[in-house]
Amino acid sequence: MKKWEGLRLFAYLDTGGVPTIGFGHTKGVRMGDAITLKQAEQYFEQDIAIFEKEINSLGVQLEQCQFDALVSFCYNIGISKFRRSTLCRYVKMGMNANYIAAEFLKWVHCNGGVLEGLKKRREWEAQKYLGRSPLPA
């Protein structure tokens, strides 16, 4: 996930216009903020724990590859969007893995257009969810 998020030690606006720092950390970030690599790592670990808890709260049995793909997806779009997504609903319903994997691929838009980076990430997450060895991030 760190490769998908990238590392920036100075606050910047992500593609959605949200102040971001480190490996995609957004909570409490203001433009002008700066952090160290150690702080970025700490933020990442704290953030990951939140998204792992969210996926665990779904109450469904998941393979590790599915869990990892869902954590990556949720980390990227946020918990509230994840909870409202068809992808989340399909996971809770125990839908066929192929239908769930197809849902990842619908989340490639930002500011009215398709982002190539999101497209690649979603393809990676879909393949990961299916238990296939996706190309490295």
Side-chain angles (χ1 to χ4, degrees):
M1 283 183 33
K2 287 179 181 178
K3 287 182 181 180
W4 289 120
E5 293 296 332
L7 171 63
R8 295 204 192 166
L9 300 179
F10 297 93
Y12 66 98
L13 295 177
D14 71 6
T15 55
V18 177
T20 305
I21 203 164
F23 297 102
H25 178 76
T26 59
K27 186 175 182 182
V29 177
R30 292 171 301 185
M31 294 309 292
D33 288 353
I35 59 173
T36 65
L37 176 58
K38 184 176 180 178
Q39 288 171 308
E41 294 283 355
Q42 290 171 337
Y43 284 151
F44 183 75
E45 292 304 319
Q46 292 167 2
D47 291 345
I48 278 293
I50 292 166
F51 295 103
E52 288 175 340
K53 183 178 178 182
E54 176 65 22
I55 301 306
N56 281 326
S57 77
L58 296 176
V60 297
Q61 191 76 7
L62 296 167
E63 295 176 23
Q64 187 65 49
C65 57
Q66 295 170 327
F67 179 83
D68 294 345
L70 291 171
V71 169
S72 174
F73 180 74
C74 192
Y75 188 99
N76 185 241
I77 71 166
I79 290 173
S80 61
K81 286 182 184 176
F82 174 72
R83 287 179 179 166
R84 293 190 311 266
S85 71
T86 302
L87 190 153
C88 180
R89 189 167 55 251
Y90 282 4
V91 170
K92 287 180 174 179
M93 291 171 51
M95 190 74 85
N96 177 288
N98 288 313
Y99 288 109
I100 295 169
E103 286 301 310
F104 284 99
L105 305 177
K106 295 178 180 177
W107 289 80
V108 297
H109 299 90
C110 187
N111 299 326
V114 173
L115 292 183
E116 199 56 38
L118 278 181
K119 189 175 173 187
K120 289 178 182 177
R121 182 176 184 156
R122 298 300 177 246
E123 289 169 357
W124 183 90
E125 290 164 343
Q127 292 302 307
K128 183 79 170 170
Y129 190 87
L130 293 171
R132 299 181 183 143
S133 295
L135 295 173

